[in-house]
Amino acid sequence: QPKVLEAENVSTDGFTARWEPTFRAMGYVIGLSKEYVAKEDVVVTLVHEDFEKITNGTIEWPSPFYDELDDITNISGWKYNYFNVNVVKGMFGLNNAYKKYGEEIYLESPALDLSGDSGKFTVQLDVYGDKDDVVSVTSGDKTLTHTLAEQGAQSFSLEFDNGTASSTIRIEFDGEGSSQLLFFDDIYIQQTVHAGDIVKENVGTYRTETPETSYVFSGMNASEGDVFVYTVTAWSYSLDEDGVLG
């Protein structure tokens, strides 16, 4: 984890993020969020994954996926089990064909601060799946389910009340549909922030392909009181002294 340095060239339009170099780094992943004080009660989208970085595959011919989720998500830290996953353009899919053999097929969020509004939050899923498949969404010790009412594209929301400062959202599904596939077009995690409280919005995740230790953000259109926070993680495909690829 590189040491983050103070930003330079700060203006209402943007700034230059800086950090110290990491040995063997081939590039960096910069996560950016914005914080401000809510002037009134507002529903904030804390997470929105749209999978627009996926450019291959069709519903008729889904493509296999073996890569890192951080390459296709807007925030880093999502997890899946690297087994039997398919994608189509703009959508990430779980394939349940081997679930009956004991494989855990799931998509799980990074730890999120959902402690606001007394832990109440909403998960909205825009999906493409088989009629009568049952989608399960788990947060902590609570699992809520939704049965798909039709074949194909559809949207639904589930309301939780057990958010914590480090909640994870795990999504799975069951069913006997012909495709054994469930595709996620959009995932929204939303929460009401009350007047006077701090709003924390994810702006995005940005990956560099060089070891340069700065990144220029522009077009931010910052308002008075806005605070931008960035984190930096190094990545590399090089071998370390023990021969480990990292």
Side-chain angles (χ1 to χ4, degrees), residues 16-31:
T16 300
R18 302 184 305 128
W19 56 90
E20 293 185 352
T22 296
F23 182 56
R24 296 182 182 271
M26 296 178 66
Y28 298 89
V29 177
I30 305 97

Side-chain angles (χ1 to χ4, degrees), residues 25-212:
M26 296 178 66
Y28 298 89
V29 177
I30 305 97
L32 181 65
S33 60
K34 182 174 75 170
E35 300 180 2
Y36 60 94
V37 177
K39 297 180 180 179
E40 57 185 4
D41 289 2
V42 60
V43 176
V44 176
T45 298
L46 302 176
V47 175
H48 177 208
E49 295 296 350
D50 56 17
F51 303 108
E52 291 301 310
K53 297 175 186 177
I54 300 174
T55 58
N56 58 311
T58 65
I59 291 294
E60 294 77 16
W61 295 101
S63 297
F65 182 83
Y66 304 106
D67 299 325
E68 295 293 330
L69 275 177
D70 286 355
D71 295 338
I72 61 167
T73 54
N74 293 325
I75 61 172
S76 60
W78 285 87
K79 301 175 184 178
Y80 72 108
N81 70 341
Y82 293 89
F83 192 88
N84 232 38
V85 171
N86 295 91
V87 297
V88 304
K89 184 178 180 181
M91 292 192 284
F92 180 85
L94 300 178
N95 186 328
N96 265 5
Y98 287 90
K99 191 171 185 177
K100 60 186 176 183
Y101 300 113
E103 290 291 338
E104 292 189 1
I105 310 299
Y106 65 89
L107 178 63
E108 185 174 286
S109 77
L112 305 168
D113 185 355
L114 300 175
S115 59
D117 197 26
S118 301
K120 292 180 287 187
F121 65 94
T122 301
V123 177
Q124 177 185 321
L125 301 178
D126 297 347
V127 302
Y128 190 103
D130 292 331
K131 185 177 185 295
D132 295 329
D133 278 356
V134 178
V135 182
S136 301
V137 180
T138 300
S139 170
D141 59 357
K142 176 172 288 190
T143 298
L144 301 180
T145 62
H146 175 84
T147 301
L148 300 187
E150 57 191 75
Q151 189 75 19
Q154 52 210 285
S155 177
F156 62 91
S157 297
L158 298 171
E159 306 285 341
F160 288 86
D161 60 4
N162 65 337
T164 69
S166 58
S167 294
T168 58
I169 307 302
R170 183 180 173 110
I171 309 170
E172 303 172 87
F173 79 102
D174 292 285
E176 301 299 327
S178 58
S179 75
Q180 291 290 292
L181 291 164
L182 178 67
F183 291 103
F184 301 98
D185 189 1
D186 289 276
I187 298 174
Y188 299 89
I189 301 175
Q190 299 175 316
Q191 190 169 58
T192 297
V193 177
H194 298 283
D197 290 342
I198 301 294
V199 178
K200 298 179 181 180
E201 292 182 347
N202 172 63
V203 177
T205 301
Y206 309 86
R207 177 185 171 110
T208 71
E209 302 296 330
T210 71
E212 185 176 352

